[in-house]
Amino acid sequence: MVAVIIGQSFVQVDHIFIPFSNVLSDYRSFIDASGMLMVYFIVVSGWIGYHRSITKNPHKGKLGNARFVVDLVVVFLTYYIVSVANPESKGHFGDIFQWILPIMFGLYLLWDILKILEYREEEREEHKIRVRRMIITATFFALFIAFSFLYQYQLSFWDNPYPTTPPWNKTHFDFTFIIYTFALVFFYRGIKWPVKGKLPKPKKMKAKANAKVDIPFSDLPKEKEKNG
């Protein structure tokens, strides 16, 4: 489903990247291209993370069905964020920074909580790992909520009639938040993906496999004496 959404978006936004000179033709085109790349990075990295997690912990039982419902909502948000980033749409980057990213990471947090409850009967070490991963998601969820308030606060400069408006315009402002979003999502994936369980120690396994059993000489079967 995510692949279909990305494929359809290529048809709609190919004029941004093809030919490549369009990206650098003017500042507005550069911002549009940067925004689309940001969205593709969010979507593709999320797709990879989902595949890694669902391969190890597939849906099971009622809580698994609840996780599947969350999956469907995330797919809708994926479609929405790609559509909003399209320069020809009626949306704008503010929707992404103020609403979509906090909601998306809130759903990631809900997904992690449901997975903890779904697999709560497994061994203690695995449970600790899932809790640590949930804490990472909760931390970045809080960061994106703060990020949303910061964006709203900065927008007030453009609505304020007093001479407090920064010398740079809103296009520069959007580009700054695109860079911030790239960085936050990159660090989120970089921190969360390496959190794994303990692998079995290969030396001990090899030692067990190559272990030899010593049989006392006296216990060896004796050949039957031949009668002359």
Side-chain angles (χ1 to χ4, degrees):
M1 183 65 72
V2 175
V4 173
I5 294 172
I6 294 175
Q8 288 293 325
S9 70
F10 284 155
V11 177
Q12 298 174 2
V13 301
D14 60 347
H15 62 280
I16 298 177
F17 301 101
I18 303 174
F20 186 73
S21 58
N22 287 350
V23 176
L24 303 176
S25 60
D26 57 67
Y27 190 71
R28 181 70 255 178
S29 299
F30 178 72
I31 293 296
D32 292 339
S34 300
M36 286 305 305
L37 289 176
M38 174 197 71
V39 167
Y40 286 144
F41 177 69
I42 294 170
V43 171
V44 174
S45 63
W47 189 15
I48 295 172
Y50 173 78
H51 177 73
R52 288 161 59 103
S53 185
I54 204 66
T55 300
K56 185 177 180 180
N57 304 118
H59 302 127
K60 66 175 186 177
K62 293 181 179 179
L63 289 171
N65 293 335
R67 266 206 301 160
F68 179 70
V69 173
V70 176
D71 294 340
L72 296 179
V73 180
V74 171
V75 169
F76 170 75
L77 282 180
T78 300
Y79 168 77
Y80 190 82
I81 194 173
V82 171
S83 300
V84 166
N86 183 357
E88 296 181 355
S89 70
K90 295 181 180 180
H92 52 83
F93 290 120
D95 290 341
I96 297 175
F97 301 134
Q98 287 183 270
W99 303 107
I100 302 177
L101 288 174
I103 293 173
M104 184 172 283
F105 274 79
L107 290 171
Y108 290 164
L109 177 59
L110 177 60
W111 201 88
D112 282 350
I113 293 172
L114 290 172
K115 185 172 66 174
I116 290 173
L117 297 175
E118 189 177 345
Y119 287 88
R120 61 186 178 277
E121 296 178 357
E122 286 197 359
E123 60 184 39
R124 185 177 181 84
E125 184 61 30
E126 287 291 329
H127 179 75
K128 288 181 178 179
I129 292 166
R130 294 191 184 96
V131 171
R132 287 201 295 269
R133 291 171 63 86
M134 185 267 293
I135 292 172
I136 292 171
T137 306
T139 302
F140 278 85
F141 173 53
L143 286 174
F144 274 106
I145 290 179
F147 193 65
S148 172
F149 281 108
L150 177 62
Y151 187 89
Q152 180 61 40
Y153 172 74
Q154 293 292 335
L155 279 181
S156 64
F157 283 115
W158 277 268
D159 298 328
N160 194 338
Y162 298 101
T164 56
T165 306
W168 35 279
N169 59 30
K170 189 174 182 298
T171 337
H172 296 76
F173 175 58
D174 282 339
F175 182 68
T176 304
F177 274 79
I178 288 171
I179 297 299
Y180 288 163
T181 303
F182 258 122
L184 282 176
V185 176
F186 177 81
F187 281 114
Y188 170 70
R189 299 298 177 191
I191 294 171
K192 190 172 183 181
W193 283 355
V195 179
K196 298 178 181 178
K198 293 183 178 179
L199 297 176
K201 297 180 180 179
K203 291 183 179 179
K204 290 186 177 180
M205 293 179 64
K206 187 175 181 180
K208 290 181 180 180
N210 296 332
K212 295 181 179 180
V213 179
D214 295 329
I215 303 175
F217 181 77
S218 59
D219 293 339
L220 293 175
K222 299 179 178 180
E223 294 183 358
K224 293 182 179 180
E225 296 181 359
K226 295 182 180 179
N227 294 326

